[in-house]
């Protein structure tokens, strides 16, 4: 797989995640600060509201997936990894409310603490989520290319010589060095 493709996909995934996080942050702050609902309910709703556009953005924009093929597999994979990350965020925001509520009387100030906690709770799973989603959304050509690269790396490790990517489909191996004035035969 080309590194440039990975960079583009990861950048688009990151931008989609930032947009979804921004949406979730606005919903979380609005629900908690102005409607008076608890942290668990506010962060759960905020999480769900951000997850829907995130799925659409990562599927269509980051990984370039269109149409119905593999959609159910992608939806299930996305839901599993996203719910796991969401549970972490909801638990952390609920714990932050429990810790901060006796110390901070102003609900708006507590809302800011919850927003910071919500973002920090999502950071540990960010890269792992990308790696998982890359497997879920990658097309078969990407998966075959990854398997081929793993095979070549394993063969190179066994041969104790590095395999180098060539510009064509051929494999290039490092030559065994021969001392000057000697022959290789």
């Amino acid at each position: 797989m080309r590194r440039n493709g990975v960079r583009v996909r990861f950048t688009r995934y990151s931008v989609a995640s930032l947009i979804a996080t921004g949406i979730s942050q606005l919903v979380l702050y609005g629900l908690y600060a102005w409607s008076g609902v608890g942290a668990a309910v506010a962060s759960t709703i905020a999480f769900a509201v951000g997850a829907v556009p995130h799925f659409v953005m990562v599927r269509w924009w980051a990984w370039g997936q269109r149409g119905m093929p593999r959609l159910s597999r992608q939806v299930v994979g996305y839901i599993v990894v996203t719910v796991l990350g969401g549970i972490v965020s909801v638990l952390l925001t609920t714990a932050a409310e429990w810790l901060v509520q006796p110390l901070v009387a102003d609900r708006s100030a507590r809302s800011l603490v919850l927003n910071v906690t919500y973002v920090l709770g999502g950071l540990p799973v960010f890269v792992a989520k990308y790696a998982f989603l890359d497997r879920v959304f990658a097309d078969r050509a990407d998966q075959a290319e990854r398997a081929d690269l793993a095979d070549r790396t394993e063969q190179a490790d066994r041969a104790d010589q590095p395999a180098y990517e060539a510009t064509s489909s051929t494999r290039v191996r490092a030559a065994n060095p021969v001392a000057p004035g000697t022959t290789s035969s």
Side-chain angles (χ1 to χ4, degrees):
M1 181 183 328
R2 290 201 203 70
R3 288 182 185 209
N4 193 29
V6 172
R7 283 188 197 124
V8 168
R9 201 167 33 242
F10 185 77
T11 300
R12 288 179 177 178
Y13 166 77
S14 299
V15 169
S17 296
L18 287 172
I19 292 168
T21 299
I23 292 167
S24 294
Q25 290 289 298
L26 290 171
V27 171
L28 175 63
Y29 188 85
L31 286 174
Y32 187 80
W34 299 318
S35 74
V37 300
V41 172
S43 59
T44 301
I45 293 169
F47 169 76
V49 168
V52 173
H54 187 251
F55 174 79
V56 172
M57 286 185 284
V58 298
R59 183 174 192 266
W60 288 16
W61 185 46
W63 275 275
Q65 297 289 309
R66 303 283 191 278
M68 297 304 288
R70 302 176 55 222
L71 178 62
S72 61
R73 176 180 177 264
Q74 292 171 347
V75 168
V76 169
Y78 181 84
I79 288 172
V80 167
V81 73
T82 303
V83 165
L84 291 174
I87 289 170
V88 170
S89 293
V90 169
L91 290 175
L92 287 174
T93 54
T94 303
E97 178 190 42
W98 180 78
L99 290 170
V100 173
Q101 194 167 16
L103 303 173
V104 180
D106 182 37
R107 194 165 178 92
S108 290
R110 282 197 318 264
S111 297
L112 291 176
V113 171
L114 293 183
N115 277 25
V116 169
T117 305
Y118 186 89
V119 169
L120 293 177
L123 289 178
V125 296
F126 179 76
V127 173
K129 187 175 176 180
Y130 171 81
F132 181 82
L133 291 177
D134 193 40
R135 297 231 181 248
V136 169
F137 288 111
D139 61 17
R140 299 210 190 284
D142 282 346
Q143 291 171 350
E145 197 170 332
R146 272 194 213 107
D148 182 51
L149 181 60
D151 264 355
R152 286 186 282 143
T153 303
E154 186 179 320
Q155 288 171 0
D157 288 344
R158 272 191 258 133
D160 206 25
Q161 293 181 350
Y164 296 100
E165 274 305 322
T167 55
S168 69
S169 62
T170 62
R171 187 179 318 137
V172 178
R173 292 227 180 252
N176 289 330
V178 178
T182 61
T183 61
S184 62
S185 52

